[in-house]
Amino acid sequence: MPKATPVTRNDVAQYAGVSTAVVSYVVNEGPRPVAPETRDRVLEAIRVLGYRPNATARALRMGTTRTFGLITPDGGNPLFAELAKAIDKEAAARGYVVLQTGADGDPATEQSKIAELVIRRVSGLILVAPTEDLDLSDTDIPVIAINRVLSTVSSVRPQYREGARRGVEHLLEHGHRRIGLVIGGGRSGERELGWRDALLAAALEDGPIARTTFSRRGGYDAGRELLAATNRPTAVFASSDLQAVGVLRAIHEAGLRIPDDIAVLAFDGTAETEYSWPPLSVVRQPLEQMAREAVSRLIDGQGAVEAVTYPTELILRRSCGC
């Protein structure tokens, strides 16, 4: 069966009784104004005939694809999934679409994905928790980082240190004096510093630390490590939701009660924490605000390189004793 001939701009013009130039003005929203009744006839012709403008050609004419490239380190992490959804919503409200891909936290992969998106002529790049040794010198489009500071582009992130401090202070208010930390990475980040700030202000020594990956398995292994300590903590602050879920499993398997025997509080605040057992108390990242800021800066211009931070929200549920 022969393929149907694609509908052209000439077909639309003939059906609407206008010139092809008028069709172009309607499709491209300019550069010349079109009378409302004429515009309605053109739109009706487009609907009836099923005309589909060439998006690539239109982008080349307008100098923009109205598309953002979004690179996340782990597409399976609920935090990044919720952040991507918030970014997509904000972009759509401004007439942009989002092309998302993952880098698995690998610098070489991330650099390659950036190059691919630039070739596709995206209008801007959003890098979520990017690796720190990225080379963006040849990138001639707007770039913004989320959840990590880069020296060459503006960034948006939560107030990690302040949020972690508030979370640990809440555990202290429940009477806990030995608070363990489950943290990702091998160095002192802002969440670890916030944990130390709270303990220092209470004149307490640091509790035990378990360093692991930002994953459920990592949290599970870290939880077992902390529970096996001679003087196990009475509360645990986990630097991510996924780690906290793993810690919960380790505690349940040990036959301990949450929060009676050991309390848990996490940093991130994804929807997953509402449905763990017990529901997790969390320091919630301001995902919607960060998404709005990132999209706005890409579209409206960024000015000087700036690191923007937003306050977190402490949400209290059963895992801490509330």
Side-chain angles (χ1 to χ4, degrees):
M1 183 176 180
K3 295 177 65 177
T5 303
V7 177
T8 67
R9 187 171 55 178
N10 288 335
D11 296 329
V12 175
Q14 184 176 359
Y15 189 97
V18 299
S19 68
T20 55
V22 171
V23 175
S24 178
Y25 299 155
V26 173
V27 170
N28 296 317
E29 300 180 0
R32 294 185 178 179
V34 177
E37 58 274 15
T38 303
R39 181 175 183 275
D40 290 343
R41 290 208 315 274
V42 172
L43 292 177
E44 176 66 9
I46 290 173
R47 185 190 68 79
V48 170
L49 299 176
Y51 175 59
R52 296 292 182 269
N54 187 317
T56 302
R58 181 172 182 266
L60 290 173
R61 288 195 302 271
M62 299 181 67
T64 176
T65 59
R66 299 183 75 83
T67 301
F68 292 139
L70 171 64
I71 302 179
T72 60
D74 179 5
N77 188 320
L79 174 70
F80 300 136
E82 290 186 19
L83 178 57
K85 183 177 180 180
I87 290 171
D88 186 66
K89 179 180 178 181
E90 291 296 329
R94 300 288 297 270
Y96 285 71
V97 296
V98 177
L99 182 60
Q100 182 181 358
T101 185
D104 296 323
D106 177 62
T109 300
E110 189 168 26
Q111 199 76 60
S112 175
K113 292 295 182 69
I114 289 173
E116 290 177 11
L117 289 169
V118 170
I119 290 174
R120 291 174 183 269
R121 302 178 66 89
V122 295
S123 304
L125 283 174
I126 302 175
L127 309 178
V128 179
T131 51
E132 297 180 358
D133 52 354
L134 285 176
D135 180 9
L136 299 173
S137 58
D138 294 331
T139 306
D140 59 355
I141 58 176
V143 180
I144 193 160
I146 296 183
N147 280 16
R148 183 164 294 161
V149 176
L150 298 179
S151 60
T152 56
V153 300
S154 292
S155 61
V156 182
R157 72 188 197 282
Q159 294 175 359
Y160 283 115
R161 186 167 183 171
E162 173 66 13
R165 182 188 63 78
R166 286 182 61 206
V168 176
E169 282 180 347
H170 182 74
L171 293 174
L172 291 169
E173 291 170 2
H174 277 284
H176 296 286
R177 292 298 176 264
R178 185 167 173 80
I179 301 175
L181 173 68
V182 174
I183 190 78
R187 57 180 188 161
S188 296
E190 291 183 84
R191 280 166 279 194
E192 182 173 338
L193 294 175
W195 170 76
R196 294 184 188 278
D197 290 343
L199 296 178
L200 180 62
L204 296 173
E205 295 183 358
D206 289 351
I209 300 177
R211 301 190 186 278
T212 186
T213 58
F214 285 102
S215 66
R216 298 176 184 88
R217 178 71 201 198
Y220 174 70
D221 292 339
R224 294 184 65 184
E225 177 184 333
L226 293 178
L227 295 177
T230 303
N231 188 14
R232 73 168 185 250
T234 63
V236 173
F237 176 67
S239 64
S240 75
D241 288 348
L242 292 186
Q243 291 170 331
V245 169
V247 169
L248 291 181
R249 175 179 169 180
I251 296 173
H252 288 310
E253 286 186 354
L256 298 173
R257 298 168 300 165
I258 307 167
D260 304 77
D261 298 318
I262 185 166
V264 181
L265 193 144
F267 197 105
D268 277 346
T270 60
E272 182 169 348
T273 60
E274 298 180 51
Y275 299 96
S276 61
W277 186 254
L280 275 162
S281 294
V282 294
V283 177
R284 187 180 188 281
Q285 292 203 35
L287 301 182
E288 292 79 11
Q289 294 95 321
M290 294 193 300
R292 188 175 305 115
E293 180 73 22
V295 169
S296 176
R297 283 176 171 265
L298 288 182
I299 296 175
D300 301 330
Q302 303 184 54
V305 173
E306 183 180 8
V308 180
T309 63
Y310 281 94
T312 57
E313 178 185 5
L314 182 61
I315 298 176
L316 303 177
R317 302 189 182 108
R318 292 185 60 180
S319 71
C320 69
C322 287

